[in-house]
Amino acid sequence: MRIGAVGIVGGMIFVAACGGGASSDSGSQQTNSSGNQQVGVEEFGMTDEALVNAIEHAESLIASCMADAGFEYVPIDPVTFRGAMDALTSAPGLTDAEFVAQYGYGISTLPPTQAFGAGEENTRIYEQLSTADQVAYKRTLWGDNVEATFVIMLENEDFSGAGGCTKKAIDQVFTDEQRNANYVNPFDAQVQQDSRMVDALEKWAGCMRDAGYDYENPDDAEREITDRLNAIAKGADPRTLTGSEKAGLTQLQGEERAVASTDNECFEKHVTDVERQVERDISGRN
C-alpha cells in the first residue's frame, strides 16, 4: 500500500530555508563489507546507517541547544524516532485500508499519530512547566511553527518549515541540497525513471481518469489537497477553524478520503508490485 508523504506543517507549505554547513552523517551512499556501493534507500537518499547517525547527531545538537536556553530535552533514540516516522502514515488499530478510508492521505484529516511531537519523555518535561515556560519551550525547540517537528519533516523530506533549535541542528547535519524544498531523493528518482515504472504509472493515471480524477503522477493529488488546505487554513491549525473555513475543511476532508481511496486502489492494481521489483533491482536488496 502507498500512503502519501506530502506533509503539512501548521497548515502551511514553507519556502526553502538554505545555508549553513552540514556534517558527513547525511551521505547517500556507503561501501559495504564486500567493497560495493550501497544505494541509499532511506529518507534523503541515505543508507540505514547514515540515517541513524543523522538522527542521533541532530537529536544531540537539539538537546545541547535546548540546554543552552535553560530547558531540558532528552534526545529521541533512533528506534523510537523511526517508529514515530512510520506511524505518521498509520493509526493504532487500523489496517492500511481502514486508515485510507478514515484519513485519506492524512493531510487535511490530521490523524492522531501526528501528535508524537518530541516524544513521551520530553512531553512529560513540557507538562511540568508553567504555561509561560511551555510557550517558551515550544518556541525554543521549534521556532514559530510549532508543528514543524523533526520527525514530520524528516519523514516528508522537507525541512523548509524548521525553526528554533531544530533548525540549528538540521543546518549542521544535513546538506544544502537536502534542505532545499526542491530536493528529489536520488533513489526515488531512479525508481521513477525506470521504464517499468513509467509504464505502471501511465496505467495508474488511466485508472484514475476512469474514476474522474485527472492526475499524471501520484504526488499530484496530494499536492492539490495540500494547496487547498493551505488556502482554507491560511496558516492556522486546521483543528481551530470555525464557520465557513471549517465547512470548507470538512468538504476537503471528504474529497481527500475519496481521492485517496481511488488512488490506493489504482496504485495497488497497477504499481505496487512493479515498484517493489524495481526497488529491489536498483537497491540490490532481495
Side-chain angles (χ1 to χ4, degrees):
M1 157 175 177
R2 166 190 157 268
I3 293 288
V6 175
I8 304 298
V9 179
M12 299 182 67
I13 293 294
F14 299 90
V15 179
C18 299
S23 79
S24 59
D25 290 344
S26 51
S28 62
Q29 290 191 336
Q30 176 174 310
T31 303
N32 60 23
S33 58
S34 301
N36 299 319
Q37 285 289 329
Q38 293 177 299
V39 178
V41 302
E42 301 295 343
E43 283 70 19
F44 293 101
M46 290 186 284
T47 62
D48 292 339
E49 182 177 351
L51 178 59
V52 167
N53 289 341
I55 291 170
E56 289 181 331
H57 190 185
E59 284 292 313
S60 176
L61 291 171
I62 290 171
S64 296
C65 177
M66 291 292 285
D68 290 342
F71 292 112
E72 181 182 3
Y73 179 91
V74 179
I76 304 169
D77 69 90
V79 173
T80 300
F81 194 102
R82 296 185 73 177
M85 289 169 61
D86 292 340
L88 292 173
T89 52
S90 64
L94 298 183
T95 64
D96 289 343
E98 289 170 339
F99 180 91
V100 171
Q102 187 166 343
Y103 296 110
Y105 299 114
I107 297 174
S108 68
T109 54
L110 298 174
T113 47
Q114 291 194 6
F116 176 81
E120 293 183 1
E121 289 184 278
N122 293 311
T123 296
R124 284 194 291 269
I125 293 170
Y126 168 82
E127 289 176 345
Q128 294 173 1
L129 299 173
S130 67
T131 301
D133 284 344
Q134 286 181 346
V135 172
Y137 188 96
K138 282 188 173 182
R139 181 64 60 84
T140 303
L141 178 57
W142 294 313
D144 293 333
N145 310 305
V146 296
E147 301 299 323
T149 70
F150 186 25
V151 166
I152 290 176
M153 290 187 291
L154 183 55
E155 169 64 20
N156 292 331
E157 296 182 322
D158 182 3
F159 292 136
S160 56
C165 288
T166 302
K167 182 181 187 306
K168 291 180 180 179
I170 287 170
D171 285 351
Q172 294 182 63
V173 175
F174 295 88
T175 66
D176 288 352
E177 180 184 11
Q178 290 167 331
R179 300 198 313 276
N180 190 298
N182 295 319
Y183 175 88
V184 177
N185 187 313
F187 177 75
D188 292 344
Q190 290 184 60
V191 171
Q192 294 293 313
Q193 292 164 7
D194 187 281
S195 60
R196 293 166 292 176
M197 275 295 289
V198 171
D199 180 62
L201 289 172
E202 287 179 353
K203 293 177 180 177
W204 171 90
C207 179
M208 293 293 285
R209 281 194 297 272
D210 291 342
Y213 299 108
D214 188 13
Y215 299 114
E216 294 184 2
N217 186 283
D219 291 338
D220 293 343
E222 300 166 44
R223 291 193 183 97
E224 180 178 284
I225 298 296
T226 296
D227 291 343
R228 291 177 59 188
L229 175 60
N230 290 341
I232 292 170
K234 297 181 177 66
D237 184 335
R239 291 165 291 194
T240 66
L241 298 179
T242 59
S244 60
E245 287 80 11
K246 182 172 178 57
L249 175 63
T250 299
Q251 179 179 343
L252 177 60
Q253 289 171 336
E255 294 178 15
E256 177 182 343
R257 294 184 184 98
V259 67
S261 179
T262 301
D263 179 354
N264 189 55
E265 291 174 6
C266 291
F267 204 88
E268 288 288 328
K269 182 177 181 179
H270 297 291
V271 183
T272 298
D273 290 342
V274 175
E275 184 177 52
R276 286 171 180 162
Q277 185 60 54
V278 172
E279 288 178 344
R280 284 196 292 266
D281 291 346
I282 292 177
S283 68
R285 296 182 177 184
N286 296 323

